[in-house]
Amino acid sequence: MKYYLTTPIYYTNAAPHIGHAYTTITADAIKRLKHMQGYDVLLATGTDEHGVNVERAAQAMGKAPLKYTDTISAEFRRQWEILGLSIDRFQRTTAPNHAKVVNEFFRACYDAGYVYKGNYTGQYCIFDNAYVNDAKPGDPCPDCGRPTETITEENFYFKLSAFQERLLKLYDDEPDFIQPESRRNEVIAFVKQGLRDLSISRTTIKWGIPVEGHAPHVFYVWFDALNTYRSAVEKDNAWPADLHLIGKEILRFHAVFWPAFLWAAGLPIPKKIFAHGWLLFENDKMSKSKGNIVRATPIKNVLGTDALRYFLLREVVFGQDGSFSYDALIQRYNSDLANGLGNLASRTLAMIQQNCGGTIPAGPGDPEIAEAAAATVASSLESFNAFNFSKGLETIWALISTVDKFIVERAPWKLAKSGDIDGLNQTLYSAAEALRIVTALVSPILPESAAKIWAQLGYQTTLDAIRVADLKWGQLASGQTIEAVTGVFPRADAKVMIEQMKEGEAAELARQKEMLGVAPAPAAAAPAAADGSGQITIDDFIKVDLRVGQVKSAEKVKGADKLLHLHVDIGEAEPRSIVAGIATAYEPEALVGRKVVIVANLAPRKLRGLTSQGMVVAASLEGGSPVLAAFIEDVPVGARLK
Ligand code: MSP
C-alpha cells in the first residue's frame, strides 16, 4: 500500500529556518510512522523558485535568478540532509520535467474549457503572489501588511467560479479532507462567499514557466508550484497524494484552488490537507526585521536533532500555533528525554548488566505492565494517526513513569539480595520489554536516539524492520545480550547549552548571509566621529534636510531596470526631479499621490541624462526590495523631519 505525503515547496528568496524545519520534520516523522504501519511511503519536498519576489531578491544580490535559486535550493536540500530527514523526492520548479508537467496540465484545463483569456487590473501583493480582492491603489496587503501594487495585464483566467458547489460538496462529503476542523470551517466560509475566476498567467513577469505557444505569458506561481506535488512523483505513479502537510497561511491555495485545478484537468484530488499552526519565537512572530528567526542546525549541533524533533512535536499541539524558546527546549530535554526516556533506558540496562550478566532474563513479565504497554500502544498510535503528536507522546511518557514507579516499588536490588530470582527476572524483563516497546514506538519521532537504545538492547537488526505487530508484549527474546550502556541523553546545563546554541545561531546566520551574497557589515559602517565613537552630534544630523514630499508623477527610466524618474512636490515652486532606485519594488502608477521622505539638500547629480535633485528615503532590506519610508498620520507637504 502506498502513502504519498508532501511538504510545501519552500520559496527560494530566503534561507531555511526552524519554521520550514518544523513542517519537514513533522513530515519525516509521519513518513516513519506510516512505514512502521506497513506502507510504502514517499515523501516529497522541494523549492518554489519563480515569481517576482525571487526575481527581485536575485536582482538585489546582482545575480541571475537561476544562479540565485540554485544556491538557496541547494541550501534547503543540505538542511534536510543535516537534520537526517528521509526525503524521497526533492522537486524544483525550475526543473525541466516540471515545466512539461505544468504545460500539460494547463492544456488539459484549457481543452476542457476551464481557461479563457481576459484583461485584469488589480492590486497585487508581490510578496504573497496574490491579487488582493477589493483593494484600492495604495492599500496594504491584508495578509502581510506590505503595500499592494496596481497591475493591469492580459491573463489567462481559470474558471474557479465553476467549482464553488463542487468544492462545498467535497468539504461536506469528506469532512476529513481539510484538517483541523477549525481550518475547514474557515475554508467553507470563504468558498460560500463566492469564488471569482482566477488569473493563472502573467505577462508582467519574466521569471516564470513560459506558457507554451503563448509568449510572453508565464504561469502564475501557484499554478506552477502546486503542480510540483505531481511532477515530484511523475515516475512513481504515486498521485494522488495521501497528505499535503502545510502551514495555515497557504490553506486556501491547497484546499480551494488545487482541487479545482485538478478537477478541471480531469485528475484525482489529494486525500487530505492538514494545515498546521505557526511556530513563534517566544510567542512573537518570527521575522527578518525583528531579527528573531531561529535556525535548526545550531540546535542540532548542541542537543541533537531528536531534541528538536521531540520539542516541536511534544510542546506544540499540532494544528495550533506554538512557541519556541531555548529555555523551554532545554526544560523539555532535561525533564522528558534525559530524566524520562534516557533514565529508564540506562537504569534498566544497568540493572540487567549487574544482576543478569548482561543477558535479558526470561519473561513473561508483569501482567499489569504488559496491559499498560498494550493500552499505550493502542492509544498513542490512535493519537499519532490523528496527527496529535503531543498527546501521543504524553501517553507514551505516562507509560515511562508507570514503569519507573514499578521499578522503584519492586526494588530489584532488594529482590537480588533476598535471592528472589524469579521476582528479579520478572521485574527486569518487564522493564526491558517496556523499554523495547517504548523505543520502537518513539522511533518515528526520535529516530537517532531510538536506534541507539535499540542497539543497546542487543538488537543487530535496525528499527527500520519494526512493524506495528512487533509492538505486542513478550517479543523481547530472553538470552539476548545487551550492549555496553552509555547515556543517550546526557543532562544539559541550561546556561552553557543556551549560550552555545546562541553562538551557533550567530555563526549560522553569518554563513547564510555570505551564501546569499550579503557581505557582513563592515566594522566601520557608522560615520566616523571626531572622537572615534562612531556617533554624530545633533549639529551633524541637522545638516541633512529631510522633507515630506508628494509624488506628482512617476515613470520608468528607459534602459535602467532599477530606476524610476519622479517629480516630487516638497512645497517649492516646482516639483523636484528625482531619480530613485526603486523600480524593482514599485510600479510607477502606485506611487502617484504617495507621501515620501526626501533628502532635499543633496548636491544635484545626473543619472541616465536626467537631473536628480534629491533622494527618496527607503529601507534597504537584506535580500529584498527597498521599502519607502511613509507616515501613518497625515503630514503636510514640505514639513521638515527632525
Ligand atoms: N512556496 C510556497 C508554498 C508552495 S506549496 C505548493 C510557500 N513557501 S514558504 O517558503 O513561504 O513556506 C511556507 C511554509 O513553510 C509554511 O506553509 C510552513 O509549512 C513553513 N513555515 C515557514 N515558517 C513557519 C513558521 N514560522 N511556523 C510554521 N511553519 C512555517 O509558502
Side-chain angles (χ1 to χ4, degrees):
M1 239 181 338
K2 70 105 193 162
Y3 190 90
Y4 170 40
L5 79 160
T6 64
T7 75
I9 51 159
Y10 303 109
Y11 284 133
T12 49
N13 54 354
H17 58 68
I18 196 172
H20 307 114
Y22 177 50
T23 315
T24 319
I25 283 175
T26 309
D28 174 273
I30 295 174
K31 172 180 170 176
R32 292 172 195 265
L33 192 74
K34 291 290 169 190
H35 173 77
M36 191 156 94
Q37 295 174 341
Y39 289 90
D40 292 322
V41 195
L42 265 181
L43 166 55
T45 186
T47 42
D48 191 352
E49 308 184 20
H50 292 122
V52 193
N53 311 351
V54 173
E55 192 175 19
R56 288 182 182 179
Q59 234 162 25
M61 296 299 155
K63 286 187 180 171
L66 187 59
K67 266 242 148 353
Y68 179 74
T69 60
D70 274 350
T71 311
I72 302 188
S73 180
E75 176 70 7
F76 271 96
R77 199 189 268 267
R78 185 178 155 269
Q79 181 83 184
W80 309 145
E81 270 168 27
I82 293 176
L83 294 177
L85 306 185
S86 176
I87 306 294
D88 300 296
R89 302 286 176 267
F90 188 99
Q91 180 68 43
R92 299 183 58 181
T93 55
T94 47
N97 81 307
H98 176 69
K100 184 183 74 68
V101 164
V102 176
N103 267 295
E104 282 167 7
F105 187 80
F106 172 77
R107 262 196 305 279
C109 296
Y110 191 95
D111 291 347
Y114 289 108
V115 171
Y116 61 94
K117 249 186 192 174
N119 266 321
Y120 185 80
T121 299
Q123 292 306 114
Y124 189 75
C125 174
I126 56 149
F127 287 90
D128 294 334
N129 286 309
Y131 279 103
V132 179
N133 287 339
D134 305 323
K136 294 183 298 302
D139 279 358
C141 166
D143 288 331
C144 71
R146 294 179 171 103
T148 55
E149 295 182 16
T150 308
I151 290 189
T152 301
E153 56 180 320
E154 183 194 62
N155 287 171
F156 280 107
Y157 275 84
F158 177 80
K159 282 189 190 164
L160 187 62
S161 54
F163 292 95
Q164 178 165 350
E165 291 316 313
R166 193 164 170 190
L167 283 165
L168 289 171
K169 186 166 181 319
L170 165 71
Y171 310 143
D172 206 40
D173 290 349
E174 289 174 44
D176 287 346
F177 176 65
I178 303 169
Q179 284 186 338
E181 170 101 27
S182 55
R183 304 258 163 255
R184 170 177 174 262
N185 296 339
E186 283 169 22
V187 172
I188 293 176
F190 170 75
V191 174
K192 277 191 174 156
Q193 279 174 12
L195 295 175
R196 292 198 200 171
D197 291 351
L198 185 75
S199 116
I200 53 163
S201 75
R202 300 280 182 267
T203 51
T204 46
I205 297 170
K206 283 188 221 79
W207 182 234
I209 297 178
V211 182
E212 273 170 23
H214 296 282
H217 286 261
V218 299
F219 287 107
Y220 164 52
V221 280
W222 278 97
F223 194 84
D224 158 355
L226 286 160
N227 270 295
T228 50
Y229 297 143
R230 295 179 50 249
S231 59
V233 291
E234 211 190 347
K235 298 201 179 90
D236 301 294
N237 196 20
W239 188 259
D242 293 86
L243 174 67
H244 288 321
L245 209 57
I246 56 168
K248 64 182 183 184
E249 81 292 354
I250 54 174
L251 178 58
R252 207 172 277 179
F253 301 101
H254 285 78
V256 182
F257 296 3
W258 188 218
F261 291 166
L262 287 160
W263 280 329
L267 291 164
I269 62 167
K271 306 250 174 69
K272 196 188 289 285
I273 297 163
F274 194 107
H276 64 67
W278 276 85
L279 192 63
L280 310 170
F281 178 72
E282 294 176 350
N283 291 313
D284 202 1
K285 194 162 175 177
M286 282 189 263
S287 80
K288 233 183 190 178
S289 54
K290 285 186 192 144
N292 63 352
I293 295 178
V294 176
R295 273 140 276 258
T297 39
I299 299 170
K300 183 230 155 173
N301 292 341
V302 176
L303 285 179
T305 309
D306 282 1
L308 176 62
R309 293 171 71 103
Y310 182 78
F311 177 85
L312 293 174
L313 292 169
R314 173 66 183 88
E315 185 85 7
V316 183
V317 176
F318 201 59
Q320 296 176 14
D321 288 352
S323 185
F324 173 86
S325 77
Y326 290 111
D327 283 325
L329 170 71
I330 298 269
Q331 218 170 345
R332 273 277 169 213
Y333 174 88
N334 277 334
S335 69
D336 295 11
L337 296 179
N339 294 351
L341 177 58
N343 187 45
L344 175 67
S346 48
R347 183 179 199 192
T348 302
L349 295 168
M351 287 187 308
I352 292 174
Q353 211 146 44
Q354 273 163 24
N355 298 296
C356 315
T359 324
I360 305 284
D366 182 83
E368 275 181 33
I369 296 293
E371 204 175 299
T376 302
V377 170
S379 145
S380 60
L381 286 178
E382 194 184 321
S383 298
F384 288 160
N385 283 337
F387 307 127
N388 195 341
F389 305 103
S390 185
K391 186 156 171 240
L393 289 168
E394 195 181 345
T395 313
I396 298 171
W397 258 253
L399 176 65
I400 293 177
S401 328
T402 304
V403 178
D404 268 339
K405 253 194 238 137
F406 166 80
I407 295 173
V408 173
E409 278 164 14
R410 288 291 177 97
W413 45 97
K414 284 191 195 154
L415 297 172
K417 244 193 202 157
S418 66
D420 181 356
I421 300 303
D422 189 49
L424 179 68
N425 284 350
Q426 294 319 309
T427 304
L428 295 186
Y429 184 85
S430 303
E433 174 60 346
L435 176 65
R436 180 192 74 88
I437 291 171
V438 164
T439 303
L441 206 47
V442 299
S443 64
I445 313 246
L446 304 173
E448 274 178 20
S449 329
K452 285 187 197 156
I453 302 175
W454 199 246
Q456 293 188 358
L457 273 167
Y459 284 102
Q460 308 295 322
T461 51
T462 65
L463 272 161
D464 203 47
I466 287 293
R467 294 290 173 271
V468 171
D470 303 319
L471 300 173
K472 269 213 195 96
W473 186 266
Q475 299 188 49
L476 178 61
S478 68
Q480 181 162 302
T481 317
I482 62 164
E483 271 201 358
V485 180
T486 46
V488 177
F489 301 109
R491 240 191 111 70
D493 178 318
K495 205 161 164 262
V496 174
M497 299 287 192
I498 291 177
E499 199 53 41
Q500 283 177 7
M501 284 189 278
K502 287 189 173 163
E503 274 169 21
E505 175 58 35
E508 179 66 352
L509 176 63
R511 190 192 64 77
Q512 285 187 344
K513 275 191 181 172
E514 202 181 319
M515 170 200 77
L516 293 172
V518 185
D531 64 1
S533 65
Q535 292 170 338
I536 58 167
T537 64
I538 187 79
D539 298 333
D540 292 321
F541 174 68
I542 55 171
K543 284 183 198 152
V544 184
D545 187 10
L546 293 168
R547 299 281 173 160
V548 175
Q550 187 168 36
V551 180
K552 292 290 166 193
S553 71
E555 56 192 24
K556 292 191 167 148
V557 176
K558 271 208 188 99
D561 288 352
K562 291 189 182 162
L563 298 180
L564 289 186
H565 184 204
L566 312 176
H567 279 97
V568 183
D569 178 7
I570 60 166
E572 298 171 328
E574 291 284 320
R576 295 268 187 119
S577 154
I578 296 178
V579 180
I582 54 172
T584 55
Y586 295 93
E587 288 296 328
E589 309 82 73
L591 290 174
V592 177
R594 188 172 164 148
K595 299 256 172 83
V596 289
V597 176
I598 301 297
V599 181
N601 59 343
L602 268 188
R605 61 182 187 137
K606 281 237 169 194
L607 279 167
R608 303 254 167 184
L610 299 162
T611 306
S612 190
Q613 306 162 303
M615 191 179 99
V616 184
V617 177
S620 145
L621 303 183
E622 254 162 39
S625 304
V627 176
L628 287 172
F631 296 95
I632 296 168
E633 282 89 8
D634 199 23
V635 276
V637 163
R640 179 146 195 211
L641 281 85
K642 314 191 256 195

